[in-house]
Amino acid sequence: MLRTALRNVLAHKARLLMTVLAVMLGVAFVSGTLVFTNTISAAYQKSSEKGFDGVDVAITPHKKDSGSAVPGDTPRLGQPVLDKAAKVDGAASATGVIKGFTALSDRNGEMLGGGFSTLGGNYYPGPDGKDPRYTMTEGRAPQAAGEIALDSKSAQKGHYKAGDTIRVSVNGPVRTEKIAGVFTTEDGNVAAGGSLALYDNATAQKLFAKPGQFDEIDVKAAPGTSQAALKSAVDKILPADAQAATGQKLADDQAEQIKQGMSSMQTAMLVFAGIALFVGIFIIANTFTMLVSQRTKELALMRAVGASRRQVTRSVLIEATAVGAIAAVVGMAAGVGIGAGLRSLLSATGAVVPDGPLVIEPTTVLASLLVGVVVTVLAAWLPGRRAAKIPPIAAMNSVHAAPTTRGLVVRNTIGAILGAIGVALVLYGSGQGMDGKGSMAFGAAVLVIGVFVLTPLLSRPLIAAASPVLRLFGMSGKLARQNAVRNPRRTAATASALMVGLTLITGMTVIAGSVQKGIDQMASDGLKADYVVSMGGGGGAPRPLSPEVSKTLEKESEVTAVSPLRQAPARIGGETSTLTGVNPKAVAELVGVDFLQGSFSGFGGKKAVVDDKTADKNGWKVGSTVPVTYQDGTSTKLTVGGVYEGNQMVRGLWTDTATITPHMTAVTDFQVMLKTKGGATEANKDKLTEALGNNPALQIQTKKDISDQIAKLFTLMLNMLYGLLAMAVIVAVLGVINTLAMSVFERSQEIGMLRAIGLDRRGIKRMVRLESLVISLFGGVLGIGLGVFFGWAAGELIATGLPTYELVLPWGRMGLFLGMAAVVGVLAALWPARRAAKLNMLESIKAE
């Protein structure tokens, strides 16, 4: 049986090629994902470990009593702690570390490095006048205010050298600094594409902390002292608000964080690899079903001469194992290339990845081989089992050929039950808010399976709907329709492969368009301001903005109203929260909110307004008093003057900037809102940009700019998802080609007869193409329909967190997707149609 199975693989090389390609693509995606994420993870881990080479013990601030009566930022470390750390037993030296956001301008006025980890820090010289963390390759270290040292990679990107001047922004205003020197460093942020500007210690403390304060203290062990022994000695001199950790532990923790960060990317990419493999299952099952069908008499003869059912099934599974193994090996090799290509692509987009070798772990090889073989064997098991059940005499007389009505009835009943359960679960989940995520996800999976099972039933009416169009093509169109519904199971499996990809693509497009519409509406409703000014520099928390920015804008003649948004930590009603300070005279002109109680009338001083959810949670209403403890420990009471309907842009407890400013340890804003004469125009924006010193770190955005910025993130994410799902669509195309090619082989005698009675080669080609087009459009209609349903259901969940969410059906894109399905059908039929038209008429008629 083993020899027979292997001979069959070699005998049907062309027929199995598409199956090999389908499995290979899925395996290549899996192995490529693992190689790429393991390589990037290893490179970042190696880079981060280098950053801890000079750190044996690190002392960091630690606020132990988070529930204290006085809120505030985590404290910093003082000079006394640094002096004590330098003198502990086993310490060779101690270095104070300060870091903060520092935007650098290139020679074109753009932000150098695009805002990725744009940091500033301190040069802390030891007794020898050098900081061991940094090696000067050009010039000298900064020694006074007005000087910086620049990392070599940023200097190279910006075409700077020692002695040049550079425009810098730390919190808003532009500073022009002289580049005293250029240095190299093992800092992981720099290795990963960030920029680092160093100030002398005193200047760095003024900019990022306070005189005599540090963010971290790094202690270097003397020769012969272990990190554990040094930590024990350091623990004895720590104040209550500090903690110590060994450099090895910090490196391990960072490595774990990197691993977890890459894990989410790896999981997401493997999901799409799984989708491609899932689509491939339909192709494999179709291929083996047709192969078994073509070899029915051969299998029956084997049964007649003594082969058992188990042996027949085993022979099919051996073929599948051989095919899966070949595909897995080729896919693994292709995956290594994909992994290397993805790393190069990442670098081409501007992201700088630390140098490192391509990492191919044994688990990657094992996983790729197992995935390829297991998926192929599982998909081939059912056709093999079905073949073994056919009685030898019945098989020899082809009594088995037509699928039984009873089988289809059972299948349709199961499909209807699964579909109904799936729809019920999805609808139930959509009404439960974010708590319904689990039931909706499970319901979606059940519904998709139900539709798979029901696809043979659905194929007849949907393909019949295309009959009027097909009649326009005469006999070729009529034959194409009959061929498409002749074997509903095969048509269903072929169409389902395409349906999966289009379901996901359509659903994501519906969600993305609807969310963008909601964000546009939220920005339009929540903001009356013409412009919002903030610090740039990439994602994460808003960067602190100097109060000088709002003061500068107030002086501009074009500005009619301006207000900073100033946030301060405070204990509000017994809980640590954030107070937002605004200009009471201008806020009504700049913010659009609907008041449920009260208004902005009388707002200011100790009168505040609060969003409805916070008010409901605390039982506040107009006239309620709110106990507040400021950052400096001062306690007071604010009076609620209004309750407004909050949203993602406007929420929380708002009060007068003059009320909170005296109690802030560091006065900074996170945004400035303003209105200008004539509204948002390019001329006004240019004047504001010039007034703020043409600062590349500052963003001056209109409501549309804010929406577009968020839209870019959605568009980028959607394009990435389209790219990943393209793999599933490619596999689906292979499935259509495979089905048509083998169908042409099965119908050789029939095609010969059609040629004999007058259907020319052009008619044969047209028949195969139309059949392919109908099957592809059938899958496209099902996929788009399911995608719209899932998009609507997911939107019901999103709407609980985004009240302005509104369902938007992208008719243009859905039409494009349906057109793509049609193109898939036409392209997939090119080779099978050409092959069918080339069949020799007489030889085909004689074929069995």
Side-chain angles (χ1 to χ4, degrees):
M1 295 304 293
L2 176 62
R3 287 197 301 272
T4 302
L6 294 177
R7 259 200 314 270
N8 279 322
V9 171
L10 296 174
H12 302 116
K13 292 187 289 291
R15 301 184 210 174
L16 292 169
L17 178 62
M18 295 300 173
T19 301
V20 171
L21 284 174
V23 180
M24 183 206 76
L25 283 172
V27 172
F29 207 162
V30 171
S31 60
T33 295
L34 294 174
V35 169
F36 170 68
T37 52
N38 288 338
T39 297
I40 299 298
S41 180
Y44 276 113
Q45 285 181 28
K46 183 180 177 182
S47 176
S48 68
E49 285 171 3
K50 283 185 178 179
F52 291 109
D53 281 350
V55 181
D56 290 310
V57 172
I59 304 172
T60 53
H62 179 57
K63 190 172 182 181
K64 295 182 179 178
D65 187 11
S66 59
S68 64
V70 181
D73 299 327
T74 301
R76 286 189 168 93
L77 302 167
Q79 186 69 41
V81 181
L82 176 59
D83 294 338
K84 290 179 182 178
K87 296 175 182 177
V88 297
D89 291 339
S93 63
T95 303
V97 179
I98 309 166
K99 281 191 179 177
F101 174 73
T102 301
L104 305 172
S105 174
D106 64 19
R107 294 187 181 277
N108 297 320
E110 301 295 329
M111 191 184 296
L112 190 62
F116 177 83
S117 271
T118 48
L119 297 176
N122 65 322
Y123 189 87
Y124 192 86
D128 60 354
K130 296 180 181 179
D131 188 327
R133 298 172 296 171
Y134 312 111
T135 302
M136 289 293 160
T137 58
E138 186 182 340
R140 58 172 174 79
Q143 297 174 352
E147 294 182 344
I148 66 167
L150 191 60
D151 74 90
S152 57
K153 290 188 176 181
S154 297
Q156 185 178 4
K157 282 188 284 187
H159 304 289
Y160 288 115
K161 62 182 185 299
D164 290 345
T165 57
I166 184 170
R167 298 169 73 244
V168 179
S169 180
V170 172
N171 59 0
V174 177
R175 306 161 58 94
T176 300
E177 313 279 15
K178 180 181 178 181
I179 301 176
V182 176
F183 62 90
T184 57
T185 177
E186 297 292 348
D187 188 294
N189 286 322
V190 175
S195 63
L196 180 61
L198 297 180
Y199 293 87
D200 67 280
N201 191 65
T203 304
Q205 287 179 328
K206 288 177 185 177
L207 291 173
F208 308 123
K210 285 186 176 180
Q213 289 188 341
F214 300 94
D215 296 320
E216 182 179 314
I217 294 171
D218 295 339
V219 187
K220 180 71 176 173
T225 303
S226 68
Q227 290 188 353
L230 182 59
K231 180 182 178 299
S232 298
V234 168
D235 284 339
K236 296 174 184 177
I237 57 97
L238 290 181
D241 56 359
Q243 62 184 2
T246 63
Q248 185 60 53
K249 185 178 187 307
L250 292 174
D252 291 344
D253 290 346
Q254 183 130 340
E256 184 60 31
Q257 289 177 8
I258 292 169
K259 187 177 179 180
Q260 289 177 1
M262 295 304 298
S263 175
S264 57
M265 180 194 292
Q266 187 181 82
T267 301
M269 292 179 72
L270 286 175
V271 165
F272 289 98
I275 292 169
L277 284 167
F278 182 64
V279 171
I281 285 175
F282 293 103
I283 300 175
I284 300 164
N286 247 4
T287 302
F288 277 92
T289 297
M290 288 188 278
L291 285 175
V292 168
S293 176
Q294 292 164 16
R295 286 163 38 209
T296 300
K297 289 188 177 181
E298 175 190 325
L299 294 174
L301 183 61
M302 290 171 62
R303 290 287 313 282
V305 297
S308 65
R309 286 186 177 182
R310 184 174 295 177
Q311 285 177 311
V312 170
T313 304
R314 193 182 301 151
S315 71
V316 175
L317 295 183
I318 290 170
E319 287 183 51
T321 302
V323 171
I326 294 168
V329 170
V330 177
M332 173 64 213
V336 173
I338 289 174
L342 285 173
R343 184 171 68 169
S344 300
L345 183 64
L346 195 64
S347 299
T349 60
V352 180
V353 180
D355 295 330
L358 207 62
V359 177
I360 306 171
E361 296 185 353
T363 52
T364 300
V365 178
L366 184 62
S368 301
L369 294 175
L370 283 176
V371 164
V373 173
V374 170
V375 166
T376 311
V377 169
L378 285 178
W381 175 75
L382 192 60
R385 186 170 176 270
R386 191 183 296 135
K389 280 187 171 183
I390 301 171
I393 300 301
M396 287 182 180
N397 288 283
S398 300
V399 178
H400 68 290
T404 64
T405 304
R406 179 176 174 275
L408 286 174
V409 169
V410 171
R411 177 172 178 155
N412 294 338
T413 303
I414 294 172
I417 292 171
L418 289 174
I421 293 172
V423 170
L425 286 171
V426 170
L427 293 176
Y428 171 78
S430 67
Q432 300 299 307
M434 294 308 289
D435 294 334
K437 287 186 295 185
S439 60
M440 180 176 286
F442 181 68
V446 173
L447 175 57
V448 169
I449 293 170
V451 172
F452 287 159
V453 178
L454 276 175
T455 310
L457 176 66
L458 297 173
S459 64
R460 290 186 179 277
L462 287 177
I463 292 175
S467 293
V469 178
L470 292 174
R471 286 197 193 102
L472 299 176
F473 296 93
M475 183 56 65
S476 295
K478 182 179 180 181
L479 290 170
R481 184 186 67 79
Q482 291 175 346
N483 289 335
V485 296
R486 177 186 296 185
N487 191 329
R489 288 190 178 96
R490 184 185 301 170
T491 298
T494 306
S496 294
L498 189 60
M499 180 189 79
V500 174
L502 286 179
T503 296
L504 294 167
I505 289 173
T506 304
M508 290 171 184
T509 304
V510 169
I511 292 169
S514 302
V515 167
Q516 184 56 45
K517 178 76 171 177
I519 290 168
D520 289 343
Q521 189 64 42
M522 183 174 65
S524 177
D525 294 346
L527 280 177
K528 292 182 182 177
D530 293 325
Y531 296 101
V532 175
V533 180
S534 60
M535 288 293 286
R543 309 283 190 185
L545 193 64
S546 170
E548 293 299 318
V549 173
S550 62
K551 291 178 182 177
T552 300
L553 293 170
E554 283 177 357
K555 298 173 185 176
E556 292 300 304
S557 58
E558 291 79 12
V559 176
T560 59
V562 62
S563 173
L565 266 69
R566 189 167 295 169
Q567 291 189 334
R571 285 190 70 79
I572 304 171
E575 292 185 2
T576 300
S577 187
T578 301
L579 268 175
T580 300
V582 292
N583 180 354
K585 297 177 182 178
V587 65
E589 295 182 60
L590 301 169
V591 177
V593 292
D594 295 324
F595 277 92
L596 305 177
Q597 300 176 39
S599 66
F600 276 127
S601 177
F603 176 67
K606 292 193 175 182
K607 187 171 280 190
V609 294
V610 65
D611 70 276
D612 52 340
K613 290 183 179 178
T614 305
D616 291 342
K617 178 182 175 182
N618 293 279
W620 297 335
K621 57 185 179 181
V622 171
S624 298
T625 55
V626 181
V628 173
T629 302
Y630 294 112
Q631 196 173 7
D632 62 356
T634 305
S635 295
T636 188
K637 289 186 177 179
L638 300 178
T639 303
V640 176
V643 177
Y644 63 87
E645 191 173 352
N647 56 49
Q648 296 283 30
M649 299 188 75
V650 183
R651 56 184 173 180
L653 187 65
W654 287 31
T655 188
D656 191 343
T657 50
T659 302
I660 65 171
T661 300
H663 306 289
M664 296 175 67
T665 55
V667 181
T668 59
D669 303 325
F670 73 93
Q671 280 182 353
V672 176
M673 302 179 295
L674 63 143
K675 284 188 79 71
T676 55
K677 295 174 183 177
T681 65
E682 283 299 318
N684 278 340
K685 187 172 183 179
D686 290 342
K687 289 177 182 177
L688 295 174
T689 302
E690 187 176 348
L692 294 171
N694 295 303
N695 190 337
L698 286 178
Q699 296 182 128
I700 303 175
Q701 297 176 296
T702 63
K703 288 183 283 190
K704 187 176 185 306
D705 292 334
I706 294 171
S707 295
D708 289 347
Q709 186 178 31
I710 299 171
K712 283 180 183 176
L713 296 176
F714 279 102
T715 303
L716 179 63
M717 188 184 305
L718 200 60
N719 288 339
M720 288 175 62
L721 294 175
Y722 284 165
L724 293 170
L725 287 170
M727 184 70 74
V729 176
I730 291 170
V731 174
V733 171
L734 292 175
V736 178
I737 296 172
N738 201 25
T739 300
L740 289 173
M742 299 192 78
S743 179
V744 166
F745 177 81
E746 279 185 344
R747 301 203 306 262
S748 294
Q749 189 178 55
E750 177 186 317
I751 291 171
M753 290 294 295
L754 289 171
R755 289 288 314 284
I757 60 175
L759 191 62
D760 60 11
R761 289 187 174 182
R762 184 177 296 178
I764 294 293
K765 284 184 179 180
R766 190 181 299 125
M767 176 187 73
V768 175
R769 287 171 185 161
L770 289 173
E771 180 184 351
S772 175
L773 184 63
V774 166
I775 293 173
S776 296
L777 286 175
F778 170 49
V781 169
L782 285 181
I784 291 170
L786 275 176
V788 169
F789 177 69
F790 290 145
W792 165 82
E796 294 298 300
L797 298 185
I798 296 169
T800 60
L802 184 64
T804 53
Y805 180 90
E806 180 183 338
L807 180 67
V808 175
L809 293 181
W811 295 105
R813 290 220 174 179
M814 289 194 294
L816 180 64
F817 296 156
L818 196 60
M820 281 173 49
V823 171
V824 164
V826 172
L827 294 178
L830 290 178
W831 178 61
R834 189 164 174 269
R835 183 184 177 194
K838 280 190 170 184
L839 288 175
N840 183 284
M841 189 189 311
L842 295 178
E843 289 181 2
S844 298
I845 292 172
K846 290 191 297 180
E848 293 187 7

